[in-house]
Amino acid sequence: MILDVLAGTMMTVGCVLAVVATIGLQRFPDVFARMHAATKPATLGLALVLLGAALVVPDPGSRAKLVLVVILQTLTAPVGSHLVGRAAYRAGTELSEQTLVDELRDAVDTTGSRPD
Amino acid sequence: MILLTSVLLGLLAVSAALCLVRLLRGDSLADRIVALDTMLVVVVCGIAIGAVRSGSGIFLDVMVVASLLGFTGTALVARFIERRGAR
Amino acid sequence: MAVVAVLVLHGLLALAAGLSGRRLGRRVLLLVACGPLAAVVLLVAHALGLLGSGALATSVSWVPSIGLQFDLVLDGFGILFWWLIAGIGLLVMVYATRYFAPRDDLGLFASMLVLFAGAMLLLTSTDNVLVLFVAWELTSITSYLLIGFDDHRAEARASALQALLVTGAGGLALLGGLLLVAGSAGTTSLTGILVVAPTDPAAQAGFALVVLGAATKSAQVPVHFWLPGAMSAPTPVSAYLHSATMVKAGIYVLARFAPAIGPVVGWWAPVVVGLGGVTMLLGGWRALRATDLKELLAYGTVSQLGFIVLLVGHGDPELVHAGATLLLAHALFKATLFLAVGVIDHQAGTRDLRRLTGIARRMPTTALALLVAAASMAGVIPLFGFIAKEAALESTLHVGFGGPAMTAVVVVGSVLTAAYALRLVWGSLATKGPDEVDDDVVEPREVARPAPGFEGPAVVLTILTVAFGVWVAPADALVVGATTALVGPEAADIHLRLWHGFGLPLLLSSVALVGGWVVWRWPGSVRRVAVVTARVPDMEDVYRGSLRGLLAWADRITAVVQPGSLPLYGAVVLSTVLLLPGVAVLRNLALPEGLVVAESGLQVAITAIVVGAAIGAARVRRRLSAVLLLGAVGYGMAVLFVVQGAPDLALTQLLVETLSLAMFVLVLRRLPERFESTPWRFGRPLRVVVSLGTGIFVAVFTLVAAAANRQGTAAADFLERSLPEGGGRNVVNVILTDFRALDTLGEITVLVVAAIGIALMVRTPVEPDERGEVGP
Amino acid sequence: SPRRSVILDVVLDLVFRTAVLFGLFLLFAGHNAPGGGFVSGLVIGTALVLRYVAGGAAEVDRVLPLEEHVLLGAGLLLAFASGAAGWIFGGAFLYGAKATLEIPVLGTVNATSALVFDVGVDLVVIGLVLGLLRSLGAAADRDADDVDTRRGVAS
């Protein structure tokens, strides 16, 4: 019974996180902030939900798959957003005016295809 | 447990809808690929909750593939944006 | 069984010659000569009665389901043709070894020649109408290849194509006719059809098509023009195909049908006889003006073919008898003439009678052969040609209806024949005065004497012409056998005689000869007739004009139908889908009862997202955004499959969606980023209408199709058998790889072909067009 | 080259192997659980796409040096062979046969001839994806590179 309660709470927190993140997706000003919001459910949210499910799911095969996905996702999600961020910056997406400092400006040559 | 999973699935459906809004509105390509990726994450969570709800694990294979594909899709489009520019 | 063996031998020889052509050089022609030789041996054995009765009739079923029986029945008429095909084939092949200078593609020539001989032998021995058509087409194809053998000469290629188009079209007509007739008669066996002799409208149309087909093959007016054109073929081909055998295939078919169909189908006799008569006159007339010896002979052949069609097409036993005799006589003297002219052309280097003089002294044997053959053609006494002409004249006199007209045509035709025979003899052999010859004349001493082997075949044929004239018995037996095979036993008492006594026929023959001499000596006398025939349009120009018109018309249509705009193609395809199946679905709209809209809230949510993404994909300006939205639609579908409980389908959908996303990205790199706006004002609304319509149609169609399934789904059965027989609980995979493995086999073959196709399409080098942009 | 991301390469090594392994799992589990030749081929194909994304055509060639038509041919041949075998032994083309094998490590395994057919399908699908990558990817790259160089853009 304890397991059910624990799993339930974990899954709920995960889903709430997902919803909050997608709301963030709407409100944040530029790509990079939105990406920051988007990766939260991809790693933490997903891990919570899946591990919660793993507690409750009966057969070992399923449990193994759930854990596998958690591991895979925690590995690949950050890389994915890293790639998107890098590409977006190199492609010259404007940062929103609320940005205080852009440390990357001199480090990365965005001459490649910056729209001049 | 059944009630809880139904509520959670509802929540996920809402977040998927929000992702769709970003997908439709997103002015730059990067926004759109992020939205699509998040959608896939929601799908993975949905399948997990579905498995809990139905008690059968046959859909978990689909979940594993979905998570793998999310990453591939993102990497693909990212490579495309870099070359083409995501104005 | 022997007949089949001979035919198969021809096939094997064709293969062997094709392969060994290079090594054997000119001897390859001797190799292929074994085919006709075997046929001759068979015929001699039959003539001497050595063969059992069954030897000449066999039946092998080739494709029983469509009545394609491979039954061969070699009757009297078939035997006559076999003698022609095999005998003259043998001589032509021997002749060809001398005619050709050593060249390495002789193997191909030899294999085509023996393939042709085999096809003709098959054509004249098969009793099945469909096999007859197959042989007919084979002769057209081999004739095309043989005419165009010197393919470096554009003129040879053009006339080969012309021959193929005309005889090919004729072949189509023949096929149509034969199918119609076989359909009405209920059997594909030729003898069966003749016994039933159907006369319903379909059969009548069938017979008309058969006559058209035969007319093209036997070069009857107005489709005769391909034969003079075919003279650009090497002389052995002209001698064999375009005088003795191939052009007689049409006559073979007409002769087979005439006796049974003539009396039953009213228009048959007048049409066929009329066709023959006109061809005879026009052919003879055009021959008078020809300056190239082979062209003269070609028009002569057209005229003689008309004469035979006139005799054979009527169906009256006596006429058929005379026709068969002329068939044999013509083959003998016309082949000799071609061979002789071939020798002259080979030695003197030209066929133009204005440049030839004093040939007779340079090659006496060939000259003699040519003289005798021409005499036989003109119908000079003791030669076989005379007997044929006498028999023809006598039989036309006995014909009741239309007899006198036929006799008149034959006499005038004979006058023309005699005239162009004299023109041929004078043109090719005589020693002419300076005014009668062009300035670039070939001096007699420049003409080398031909090797003995070269003149041999022509001499052999001439000996036959003379021998059959004097000693009629063997020829008579052959012709009587042929006539009885066609008309029936009552024709057995009609016999050939050299001397018919001083009756009307003899008078008419001599009138024809004298008339011929007059026409040749004083051409002025026929000036008025020339004015009439000048107005007859030359069919060759009609043919060229229609070909040019066809090509121009085709270009215009392609320009309209394929302007190169992809959206237009899409619109055309989709609107066709809307019109044809769409209307059909609307007409019998049977929606399933108890239509469940949605089983759970989740489905509604997911469907909403899918629809939203789809609308987004249609509206968005950027190509890749549209692709991403499509990706959302695909993933939504996968989730729907999961909710419906189909894991395999969901897996496949997800994977295919991602891969297509990948392919889109790979391709879109090369394309402009945004969709072009449609220049045409109605472009956008038209697209909306067409796509909306298609969407609705697909939805409705799926519902109707599902409702129309009456026999219940096969699923239950498969589910049950999945574990015990298939050895697996996953019924989808068991079906894919076990129960319906053949379908999967087909599908993966399609995948392989698709992969190869794409690879080829993309890797063919694309030159960037003027904007430097590599085309899509 | 400046365009390769080190992070991606590191993670990729891990993910690629997992994906291929999972693909094979799907293939063998296919008869009783969701999976099968077609899906397994697609999963491994996706893994190849990942490789292409990371390091372009050269990377794909390094990982899978085979020409795509070899894979296609082998797959088709295998499928036909399993069909023909069914014909020779079982009497009908594509006739399925079942066998219960005792494999030391894995214990009792009941294998079916359909598995051979499935492997054939798998190879064909992988070949197709490889072919697409090679033609749409590599060939287009070459065109793109020479077009870019002609227009003076440092790609």
Side-chain angles (χ1 to χ4, degrees), chain B residues 1-86:
Chain B
M1 188 47 90
I2 300 302
L3 178 64
L4 178 66
T5 48
S6 307
V7 168
L8 292 183
L9 283 177
L11 275 176
L12 286 180
V14 164
S15 60
L18 287 170
C19 284
L20 176 67
V21 169
R22 172 47 63 193
L23 196 61
L24 292 173
R25 211 157 57 95
D27 37 21
S28 85
L29 273 178
D31 292 311
R32 289 209 163 98
I33 187 59
V34 163
L36 193 64
D37 193 35
T38 320
M39 254 181 159
L40 267 178
V41 165
V42 166
V43 164
V44 167
C45 298
I47 295 176
I49 293 173
V52 166
R53 184 180 158 83
S54 66
S56 83
I58 57 175
F59 288 109
L60 293 180
D61 295 331
V62 180
M63 179 185 66
V64 173
V65 166
S67 81
L68 179 70
L69 295 180
F71 172 62
T72 322
T74 323
L76 250 164
V77 176
R79 171 49 56 89
F80 175 84
I81 292 174
E82 211 166 322
R83 169 189 283 275
R84 172 51 62 89

Side-chain angles (χ1 to χ4, degrees), chain D residues 56-78:
Chain D
E59 185 75 12
V60 174
D61 295 345
R62 187 179 61 78
V63 167
L64 190 58
L66 289 175
E67 286 291 327
E68 69 267 20
H69 46 72
V70 168
L71 278 171
L72 289 169
L76 211 54
L77 190 66
L78 207 60

Side-chain angles (χ1 to χ4, degrees), chain C residues 95 293 333 336-345 347 356-376 383 421-431 447-452 454-463 466:
Chain C
Y95 173 85
L293 288 178
F333 63 68
T336 320
L337 289 177
F338 266 108
L339 294 182
V341 163
V343 169
I344 298 172
D345 177 19
Q347 302 305 109
L356 289 168
T357 177
I359 299 292
R361 279 201 307 283
R362 296 301 291 180
M363 41 180 98
T365 33
T366 307
L368 180 66
L370 194 137
L371 188 65
V372 166
S376 166
L383 295 174
L422 281 167
R423 180 181 173 81
L424 173 72
V425 168
W426 168 77
S428 60
L429 303 178
T431 312
V447 175
R449 293 187 183 284
F454 200 13
E455 295 173 308
V459 167
V460 165
L461 285 171
T462 320
I463 292 168
V466 174

Side-chain angles (χ1 to χ4, degrees), chain C residues 733-745:
Chain C
N733 194 271
V734 167
I735 294 177
L736 269 179
T737 56
D738 201 331
F739 295 149
R740 302 296 293 264
L742 196 60
D743 305 350
T744 319
L745 202 58

Side-chain angles (χ1 to χ4, degrees), chain C residues 51 71-72 77 219 236 480 492 567 569 632 637 690 713 727 740 749 762 776:
Chain C
L51 296 173
D71 32 30
L72 306 170
F77 194 52
V480 166
Y569 296 163
M637 290 290 297
V690 169
T713 61
R740 302 296 293 264
T749 321
V762 170

